[in-house]
């Protein structure tokens, strides 16, 4: 993992020297046979196509809604004078969203310096994108609310602040040179948590696997600077549980802060790739912070084991999130749905010391606060420390971990399920 990437200057791995800004590194698939490279390229272009297809997809939904409405008896239609104008408003909002999505992919084509996705594998492609990819894209749009809008502040306060406060408590700036405290945020989404940690002076690296998220976080972190200069309409895809049509078409603006405002000396980076594949250097991180992440695993114990391995002796893992297993009910996918109780047992058996544990932290996730249906996650929050006085035999530990890696986790890239919103 040594090749540099886009904006922000060169890097040579998670523990390299100061960075001037976020960068993007694409981890190559190990042993990279041609077929895997071809599949990866197909996947890249499939996600680019999904971004491009958005307007058509929403347009079809709107057309369907218009057809349904026009099939009503005329006297029913006459009772509903605003429906068609609202549907045209939704179409306009989708056109606007498309412009932002175009800007995102415009900046994505060359974002990985060490990987060329070249031209598309299937240049004749004209197939519509799948509903699955469209759902991922709509979730990504809502993720802008969570991470980079004023409207997401309360949600960020409930999810990110407990983690940030714990980092500050464990590594206070009056006792540590915080620039030497390294924090890894796996499953970083659009990067706000990692960015906030870096803003406090810690060395921070986000890791993310989904191209939807990577393209979008690259855009916010490297291309946006004027506060609230961009607009999205994140709620137009929701047709049920709406009180007023203006709720459905209300905008959000982003970014609520200038992402480029980190001091030049800040060591902040983003690395693309599967967490368990990219991070295998033992004893490297002072802190691993996971937020709504561990349930994305095929086998959550593999994540726990990886975190154990990469933490320095004395390092801490801070976790907040629910257990909405992403691969549950997915055909042909390994998915081990453990209870928190079981995971807790494994954490302790591995040798972690649980220093803080709260079993009921209520949060939301990309919540539409004006929806008539709202979900609350009753999250667990904990701080687990890898004891400082362990004796390691690095070689043996490596061998053990490799043997227990699940084959499914090394399968070709797939986007996981969305969580409920
Ligand atoms: C539910 S989201 C949470 C995002 C962010 N932490 C937040 O709280 O908003 C989980 C994220 O983990 C990413 N992810 C899933 N599996 C991953 C893996 N194996 N390696 C790195 N990231 C992964 C997903 O793409 C997704 O962005």
């Amino acid at each position: 993992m040594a090749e540099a990437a886009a904006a922000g200057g060169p890097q040579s791995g998670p523990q390299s020297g100061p960075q001037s800004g976020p960068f993007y590194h694409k981890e190559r698939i190990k042993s990279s046979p041609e077929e895997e490279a071809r599949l990866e390229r197909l996947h890249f272009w499939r996600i680019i196509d999904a971004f491009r297809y958005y307007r058509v997809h929403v347009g079809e939904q709107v057309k369907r809604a218009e057809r349904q409405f026009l099939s009503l008896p005329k006297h029913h239609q006459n009772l509903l004078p605003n429906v068609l104008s609202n549907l045209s408003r939704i179409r306009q909002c989708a056109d606007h969203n498309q412009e932002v999505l175009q800007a995102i992919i415009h900046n994505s084509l060359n974002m990985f310096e060490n990987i060329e996705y070249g031209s598309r594998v299937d240049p004749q492609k004209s197939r519509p994108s799948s509903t699955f990819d469209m759902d991922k894209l709509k979730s990504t749009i809502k993720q802008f609310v969570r991470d980079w809008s004023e409207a997401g502040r309360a949600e960020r306060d409930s999810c990110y602040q407990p983690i940030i406060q714990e980092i500050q408590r464990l590594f206070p700036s009056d006792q540590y040179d915080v620039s030497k405290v390294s924090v890894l945020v796996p499953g970083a989404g659009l990067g706000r948590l990692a960015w906030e940690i870096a803003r406090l002076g810690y060395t921070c690296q986000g890791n993310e696997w989904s191209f939807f998220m990577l393209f979008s976080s690259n855009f916010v972190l490297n291309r946006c600077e004027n506060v609230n200069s961009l607009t999205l309409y994140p709620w137009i895809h929701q047709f049920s549980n709406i009180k007023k049509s203006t709720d459905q078409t209300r905008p959000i603006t982003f970014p609520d802060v200038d992402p480029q405002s980190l001091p030049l000396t800040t060591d902040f980076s983003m690395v693309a790739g599967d967490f368990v594949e990219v991070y295998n250097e033992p004893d490297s991180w002072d802190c691993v912070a996971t937020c709504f992440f561990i349930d994305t695993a095929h086998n959550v114990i593999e994540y726990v084991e990886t975190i154990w391995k990469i933490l320095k002796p004395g390092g801490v893992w801070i976790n907040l999130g629910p257990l909405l297993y992403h691969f549950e009910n997915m055909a042909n996918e390994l998915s081990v749905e453990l209870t928190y109780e079981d995971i807790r047992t494994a954490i302790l058996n591995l040798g972690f010391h649980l220093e803080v544990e709260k079993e009921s932290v209520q949060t939301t996730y990309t919540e539409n606060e004006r929806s008539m249906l709202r979900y609350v996650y009753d999250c667990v929050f904990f701080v687990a420390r890898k004891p400082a006085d362990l004796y390691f035999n690095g070689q043996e530990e490596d061998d053990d971990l490799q043997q227990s890696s699940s084959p499914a986790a090394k399968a070709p890239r797939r986007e996981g399920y969305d969580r409920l919103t």
Side-chain angles (χ1 to χ4, degrees):
M1 180 168 94
E3 289 145 88
Q11 65 102 27
S12 59
Q15 306 304 315
S16 61
Q19 311 286 327
S20 57
F23 65 90
Y24 281 77
H25 168 93
K26 181 71 189 73
E27 176 72 351
R28 285 183 189 280
I29 295 171
K30 310 264 176 337
S31 81
S32 62
E34 272 181 17
E35 180 59 5
E36 280 185 355
R38 193 187 70 85
L39 288 174
E40 179 80 357
R41 198 146 64 99
L42 261 181
H43 184 78
F44 177 89
W45 285 105
R46 193 186 97 204
I47 307 308
I48 295 280
D49 286 336
F51 275 73
R52 291 185 175 142
Y53 188 68
Y54 169 82
R55 186 204 315 260
V56 176
H57 170 80
V58 178
E60 277 170 1
Q61 283 187 317
V62 172
K63 260 191 242 155
R64 181 182 172 279
E66 283 168 345
R67 273 199 308 273
Q68 302 279 1
F69 178 76
L70 293 171
S71 74
L72 296 180
K74 204 72 191 156
H75 63 283
H76 284 183
Q77 291 182 34
N78 291 341
L79 295 172
L80 300 163
N82 299 322
V83 171
L84 286 178
S85 60
N86 185 51
L87 289 173
S88 352
R89 175 74 191 129
I90 291 174
R91 195 177 267 116
Q92 284 168 5
C93 296
D95 287 350
H96 180 87
N97 284 352
Q98 184 68 64
E99 284 171 27
V100 176
L101 298 178
Q102 288 299 132
I104 292 173
I105 52 172
H106 177 76
N107 285 289
S108 304
L109 296 178
N110 299 309
M111 65 180 272
F112 304 111
E113 256 183 31
N114 62 339
I115 284 235
E116 273 296 327
Y117 285 98
S119 50
R120 56 180 68 244
V121 179
D122 172 10
Q124 301 307 319
K125 181 202 178 289
S126 59
R127 286 183 299 279
S129 295
S130 64
T131 308
F132 183 81
D133 283 345
M134 284 300 113
D135 287 347
K136 292 296 295 181
L137 186 58
K138 292 173 193 171
S139 296
T140 306
I141 291 174
K142 287 191 285 185
Q143 198 80 22
F144 277 90
V145 186
R146 174 174 171 88
D147 267 20
W148 294 104
S149 81
E150 185 55 39
R153 178 189 288 275
E155 190 170 294
R156 288 195 299 277
D157 284 350
S158 68
C159 294
Y160 299 163
Q161 275 310 316
I163 295 175
I164 291 168
Q165 283 165 5
E166 204 59 32
I167 292 173
Q168 290 183 290
R169 184 182 71 79
L170 293 162
F171 304 101
S173 57
D174 55 356
Q175 289 171 36
Y176 287 81
D177 173 355
V178 295
S179 69
K180 297 206 163 57
V181 175
S182 57
V183 183
L184 174 66
V185 181
L190 292 196
R192 183 62 177 263
L193 173 61
W195 185 89
E196 290 289 351
I197 295 168
R199 179 154 76 156
L200 292 169
Y202 299 91
T203 289
C204 190
Q205 184 163 94
N207 156 241
E208 180 49 63
W209 174 80
S210 157
F211 280 136
F212 287 103
M213 295 290 180
L214 288 163
F215 296 164
S216 303
S217 62
N218 173 52
F219 177 70
V220 184
L221 293 169
N222 291 321
R223 296 286 175 264
C224 295
E225 53 187 46
N226 295 327
V227 169
N228 290 327
S229 56
L230 292 162
T231 300
L232 278 169
Y233 298 91
W235 315 116
I236 56 169
H237 321 109
Q238 180 180 333
F239 286 85
S240 292
N241 289 312
I242 292 166
K243 283 187 184 151
K244 297 197 310 194
S245 52
T246 47
D247 291 343
Q248 193 181 8
T249 53
R250 75 190 191 280
I252 59 110
T253 53
F254 74 96
D256 64 310
V257 287
D258 173 5
Q260 317 267 346
S261 62
L262 295 178
L264 278 180
T265 50
T266 307
D267 191 342
F268 174 45
S269 53
M270 290 284 283
V271 166
D274 182 342
F275 169 59
V276 292
E277 290 194 0
V278 175
Y279 296 94
N280 41 39
E281 191 68 36
D283 307 340
S284 334
W285 296 90
D286 295 299
C287 176
V288 175
T290 49
C291 184
F292 277 72
F293 174 66
I294 61 173
D295 52 4
T296 66
H298 292 274
N299 165 12
V300 57
I301 301 305
E302 193 178 30
Y303 279 5
V304 176
E305 202 176 45
T306 302
I307 293 167
W308 170 267
K309 177 182 178 182
I310 66 175
L311 275 176
K312 294 176 187 172
V316 286
W317 170 23
I318 305 173
N319 175 68
L320 184 143
L323 292 173
L324 177 58
Y325 288 105
H326 283 216
F327 292 101
E328 185 182 353
N329 300 326
M330 260 187 144
N332 305 319
E333 295 287 353
L334 174 71
S335 179
V336 186
E337 292 102 20
L338 300 179
T339 62
Y340 173 59
E341 191 182 28
D342 289 331
I343 297 172
R344 187 182 189 281
T345 303
I347 288 171
L348 295 175
N349 282 341
L350 211 46
F352 277 112
H353 291 177
L354 271 176
E355 293 189 348
V356 177
E357 188 178 29
K358 294 180 191 157
E359 287 195 19
S360 184
V361 176
Q362 306 223 324
T363 73
T364 56
Y365 192 89
T366 62
E367 184 191 43
N368 178 357
E369 62 179 14
R370 297 208 199 148
S371 172
M372 295 160 77
L373 176 61
R374 295 161 73 177
Y375 293 95
V376 173
Y377 289 92
D378 200 24
C379 295
V380 294
F381 175 79
F382 60 77
V383 178
R385 190 182 294 276
K386 175 169 163 177
D389 51 3
L390 282 179
Y391 172 74
F392 288 102
N393 177 338
Q395 188 56 46
E396 277 177 21
E397 189 187 38
D398 263 12
D399 291 349
D400 287 350
L401 291 183
Q402 273 170 17
Q403 277 164 22
S404 61
S405 292
S406 90
K410 306 231 180 293
R413 174 192 283 284
R414 264 172 230 104
E415 304 288 339
Y417 269 148
D418 291 330
R419 59 184 60 253
L420 298 168
T421 52

